[in-house]
Amino acid sequence: KKRNDLKKIRDLVSQFITVNQHLIPLSENNLTSIMSYEGALVLHYFNNYLKSTYLFRGNAYRSFGQSYVRNDVRGISVFDRIRLYENQLFFATGVERLNDNTDESKSFTTTYWNINSSLSYFPRMNIPSLTVGYLRNTSSNGVYEFVPHTSAESLRVKNIVAREEQSNRYYLQSTYEFHAYYRQNISVDISTSSKNDKIYSAFNTRNTSVSTSLSTYWSNTLQTYVSLSQ
């Protein structure tokens, strides 16, 4: 009956709008699937910037203005930045916990944990600034914990639906502004990361990158930028 109703609606509305694969039927039983909302609380106290955020984006939510916005996600995040040593030293840390399967249409719900922290030094003297940081990302849908390893069939299912990943990233960034005929700004970034895939396929990865860049301000209307990375 619902299939026939959709065909009738299609024939009716096609006289006014284009009906194609990008139109998704709206379920009156789950209106939240097309909704998106977000709320945040920000506090400034004792040299702290503390922000707590809750967000929800439904499975069928689409942002035409910002197509990169992630959908089918909900959760909370907390971020804190502390100013130290006469506002020259900054310590920042944050944690985020997100879930998908917002309309409970999937067999498993994946939980994402994102943790990051950094320490930055911006000296008032003529020496480079420095930032060191650490990020940790995990995702799991719980299948890894209870799917047995006793048969080839269980391994096949495990390989398809299981998700159990853990990534770690360490990075160092430094910038220095100086004057050599013109105002110059040089920066260096060093980063190393690894991903541990704990499921049957075990797609482990490891990456290290180094990059440097130089910006030259020739005038108010001309600036050049040169970068080298490996």
Side-chain angles (χ1 to χ4, degrees), residues 126 176-186 214-219 224:
N126 189 26
Y176 180 60
E177 186 170 306
F178 61 97
H179 193 278
Y181 298 103
Y182 299 93
R183 187 160 64 97
Q184 317 271 353
N185 187 288
I186 186 171
L214 176 66
S215 299
T216 305
Y217 303 87
W218 303 91
S219 66
T224 59

Side-chain angles (χ1 to χ4, degrees), residues 63-70:
S63 174
F64 294 102
Q66 303 177 13
S67 58
Y68 56 85
V69 170
R70 179 182 177 184

Side-chain angles (χ1 to χ4, degrees), residues 2 25-35 102-104:
K2 289 185 178 181
L26 175 62
S27 172
E28 67 277 7
N29 299 325
N30 194 5
L31 292 176
T32 57
S33 63
I34 63 167
M35 296 177 62
T102 54
D103 58 1
E104 299 181 357

Side-chain angles (χ1 to χ4, degrees), residues 87-101:
N87 293 337
Q88 298 182 62
L89 190 65
F90 294 82
F91 175 72
T93 183
V95 59
E96 181 181 62
R97 184 184 188 275
L98 303 174
N99 291 327
D100 64 359
N101 198 18

Side-chain angles (χ1 to χ4, degrees), residues 11-163:
D11 295 338
L12 177 63
V13 302
S14 60
Q15 304 176 44
F16 308 98
I17 63 175
T18 302
V19 179
N20 54 33
Q21 70 272 20
H22 300 293
L23 295 180
I24 303 173
L26 175 62
S27 172
E28 67 277 7
N29 299 325
N30 194 5
L31 292 176
T32 57
S33 63
I34 63 167
M35 296 177 62
S36 173
Y37 48 88
E38 181 176 337
L41 176 65
V42 178
L43 301 175
H44 292 269
Y45 67 96
F46 303 116
N47 291 330
N48 278 45
Y49 174 85
L50 179 64
K51 182 178 181 180
S52 178
T53 305
Y54 175 82
L55 65 88
F56 176 93
R57 300 191 189 104
N59 181 53
Y61 173 75
R62 299 290 186 275
S63 174
F64 294 102
Q66 303 177 13
S67 58
Y68 56 85
V69 170
R70 179 182 177 184
N71 64 346
D72 192 23
V73 64
R74 63 180 168 189
I76 60 173
S77 64
V78 179
F79 172 81
D80 190 19
R81 184 179 67 233
I82 306 173
R83 303 193 305 271
L84 304 167
Y85 190 56
E86 299 179 346
N87 293 337
Q88 298 182 62
L89 190 65
F90 294 82
F91 175 72
T93 183
V95 59
E96 181 181 62
R97 184 184 188 275
L98 303 174
N99 291 327
D100 64 359
N101 198 18
T102 54
D103 58 1
E104 299 181 357
S105 61
K106 301 177 182 177
S107 301
F108 305 98
T109 300
T110 303
T111 301
Y112 304 89
W113 281 96
N114 303 311
I115 301 173
N116 66 83
S117 59
S118 65
L119 184 66
S120 302
Y121 179 53
F122 299 98
R124 295 176 180 174
M125 59 189 75
N126 189 26
I127 60 175
S129 65
L130 182 66
T131 298
V132 292
Y134 168 71
L135 294 90
R136 179 186 179 94
N137 309 106
T138 62
S139 60
S140 172
N141 62 3
V143 179
Y144 175 79
E145 299 178 358
F146 63 82
V147 173
H149 298 263
T150 56
S151 67
E153 178 64 20
S154 68
L155 290 177
R156 186 186 68 81
V157 174
K158 178 183 177 62
N159 190 26
I160 294 174
V161 303
R163 180 163 188 173

